Amino acid sequence: MRRRAVLAMLAVTLGSLAMAAPELTGLSLRGQGRMRYFGLSIYDIRLWSAAPVSAERWADLPLTLEIEYARSLDGGEIAKRSLKEMRRQADISDAQAAAWLAEMQAAFPDVKAGDRISGSHEPGVAAQFFVNGQPRRRVADATFARLFFGIWLSPQTSEPALRQQLLGGHAGR
């Protein structure tokens, strides 16, 4: 009896999450972690996908990263930091950097604790961003998409332990 109650509560919780976050419909949670800076919680991040995600093939798979912020942050600063992290993976010309920065500044609003920004990776095509479950901006650039999601999933990430958590322990395989 208790098991049924727990399963029913889980089903209601997952159903509520899917309704609150339509970009996650049909996806399964694959990994999650918390980003901290000098001990302060910045955000929780979750990796969602329909199929398991491996360290070697993440860039070939449709997936969604969901970030839930623990504090207020300026959207422009989120965009600048994202570009800095993207540049860890590849040489990006100043012209390309300026174009991508403008896209991210349009995609990322100022956030407060509890706000969510999700990004859906369309391999070889685009990145689609959502803010609190609402579509915000689509960047139709395959290289941008690969480098953006690589902030967390590429071997060149500045946060290898977080990568390991997101990939569900499969980061070294």
Side-chain angles (χ1 to χ4, degrees), residues 52-97:
V53 178
S54 71
E56 297 80 23
R57 295 202 51 238
W58 69 265
D60 301 327
L61 299 172
L63 54 84
T64 297
L65 285 173
E66 174 194 25
I67 297 176
E68 184 173 342
Y69 289 88
R71 60 189 57 257
S72 296
L73 294 170
D74 179 83
E77 292 303 314
I78 295 171
K80 288 177 191 173
R81 179 58 189 239
S82 296
L83 181 61
K84 180 179 178 182
E85 293 295 325
M86 291 166 73
R87 284 186 143 163
R88 290 177 59 89
Q89 304 166 64
D91 288 328
I92 300 171
S93 72
D94 289 342
Q96 185 65 76

Side-chain angles (χ1 to χ4, degrees), residues 30-32 47 53-56 58 63 152-154 161-172:
R30 301 296 172 177
Q32 59 188 328
L47 172 63
V53 178
S54 71
E56 297 80 23
W58 69 265
L63 54 84
W152 298 274
L153 300 175
S154 110
L162 189 56
R163 176 181 189 252
Q164 180 82 19
Q165 292 174 326
L166 290 171
L167 292 170
H170 301 292

Side-chain angles (χ1 to χ4, degrees), residues 25-154:
T25 302
L27 304 180
S28 297
L29 181 62
R30 301 296 172 177
Q32 59 188 328
R34 176 165 289 161
M35 177 64 183
R36 292 183 183 277
Y37 186 72
F38 288 113
L40 297 174
S41 182
I42 306 300
Y43 58 74
D44 290 329
I45 184 168
R46 292 176 280 278
L47 172 63
W48 299 84
S49 66
V53 178
S54 71
E56 297 80 23
R57 295 202 51 238
W58 69 265
D60 301 327
L61 299 172
L63 54 84
T64 297
L65 285 173
E66 174 194 25
I67 297 176
E68 184 173 342
Y69 289 88
R71 60 189 57 257
S72 296
L73 294 170
D74 179 83
E77 292 303 314
I78 295 171
K80 288 177 191 173
R81 179 58 189 239
S82 296
L83 181 61
K84 180 179 178 182
E85 293 295 325
M86 291 166 73
R87 284 186 143 163
R88 290 177 59 89
Q89 304 166 64
D91 288 328
I92 300 171
S93 72
D94 289 342
Q96 185 65 76
W100 286 350
L101 181 61
E103 290 283 2
M104 289 187 286
Q105 287 170 330
F108 308 148
D110 296 345
V111 296
K112 63 185 180 312
D115 282 344
R116 291 180 311 100
I117 296 179
S118 300
S120 293
H121 180 243
E122 301 170 27
V125 180
Q128 172 70 51
F129 295 102
F130 300 82
V131 175
N132 295 323
Q134 299 300 310
R136 175 75 178 210
R137 189 161 192 93
R138 185 171 189 270
V139 181
D141 183 323
T143 303
F144 169 88
R146 179 179 51 80
L147 294 176
F148 180 81
F149 290 93
I151 292 170
W152 298 274
L153 300 175
S154 110

Side-chain angles (χ1 to χ4, degrees), residues 1-7:
M1 183 73 156
R2 182 180 166 133
R3 185 176 177 190
R4 277 191 188 160
V6 169
L7 290 175

